[in-house]
Amino acid sequence: MISLLVLNGPNLNLLGQRQPEVYGTTTLAQIEALCVSSAQGLGAKATCMQSNHEGVMIDTIHEARGTHDGIVLNAGAYTHTSIALMDAISSAEVPMVEVHLSNIHAREEFRHTSHISRVAIGQICGFGPQGYVMAIDAMLEHLKARA
Ligand code: CA2
C-alpha cells in the first residue's frame, strides 16, 4: 500500500484557534483526519506529523526515505526562508507536493517566494483544507504514473 507523509510546519498547530479570518476555523486535527480518510478512500495510507522546529522537520524528511512513497508538505513560513528544508527534500529523493491553505501569491510580497517549490512536483494553494485532499490525489496520480 502506498504510504504518504503529511507534514505540517510552524504555527499550524494553532489552526482553528487564532486568526480564523486568514486561516479558517478548521483545526489541524480535523485536517489530519481529512487526510487520513481521503488517503484511505484512495487505497493509500497517510501518516500525519506537525512540528514548529525546522530541524525536527528536516529529520522527519530524512526518515521519510525508505518509509514513505510521497510527502505532502505545508512548511508554513519556512517555505519562504528555508534552503535547509529544500536541501532535505532533494536529498531524501521522496516526491513532494507543496500545499498552502492560503493563496500565498495573493498575499504579502515575502510570501510569493517558495524555496521548496524548486523541489516540488507541484504546488496547491488557496483552497483551504481541501488543498490537502487535492495534494494527496495529485501525489497518488504522480506515483501511479511513475510505477
Ligand atoms: O497558507 C498557508 O498554509 C501558509 O503555509 C501558512 C503559514 C504562512 O506563513 C505561509 O505563508 C502560508 C502560517 C501558518 C500559521 O498558522 C496559524 C494558524 C492560526 C493562527 C496563527 C497562525
Side-chain angles (χ1 to χ4, degrees), residues 114-129:
S114 166
H115 292 300
I116 64 171
S117 285
R118 294 180 73 96
V119 292
I121 297 163
Q123 182 196 67
I124 295 167
C125 70
F127 294 98

Side-chain angles (χ1 to χ4, degrees), residues 26-140:
T26 309
T27 64
L28 181 61
Q30 289 169 328
I31 288 176
E32 291 181 342
L34 181 65
C35 290
V36 168
S37 67
S38 57
Q40 221 163 39
L42 294 166
K45 179 177 188 278
T47 302
C48 302
M49 152 88 186
Q50 186 272 335
S51 177
N52 291 322
H53 305 279
E54 190 176 12
V56 173
M57 291 181 71
I58 290 168
D59 288 342
T60 303
I61 291 165
H62 290 171
E63 286 157 17
R65 188 183 170 86
T67 310
H68 299 290
D69 302 294
I71 302 173
V72 170
L73 175 62
N74 184 346
Y78 289 144
T79 301
H80 320 297
T81 63
S82 180
I83 291 165
L85 265 183
M86 178 190 77
D87 285 344
I89 293 154
S90 51
S91 67
E93 296 178 323
V94 178
M96 181 273 289
V97 172
E98 176 182 359
V99 63
H100 299 284
L101 293 156
S102 62
N103 179 357
I104 57 173
H105 304 288
R107 299 184 64 191
E108 304 95 322
E109 192 87 30
F110 63 84
R111 294 189 205 272
H112 298 182
T113 300
S114 166
H115 292 300
I116 64 171
S117 285
R118 294 180 73 96
V119 292
I121 297 163
Q123 182 196 67
I124 295 167
C125 70
F127 294 98
Q130 197 59 28
Y132 287 81
V133 177
M134 295 172 175
I136 286 170
D137 189 41
M139 175 61 80
L140 293 176

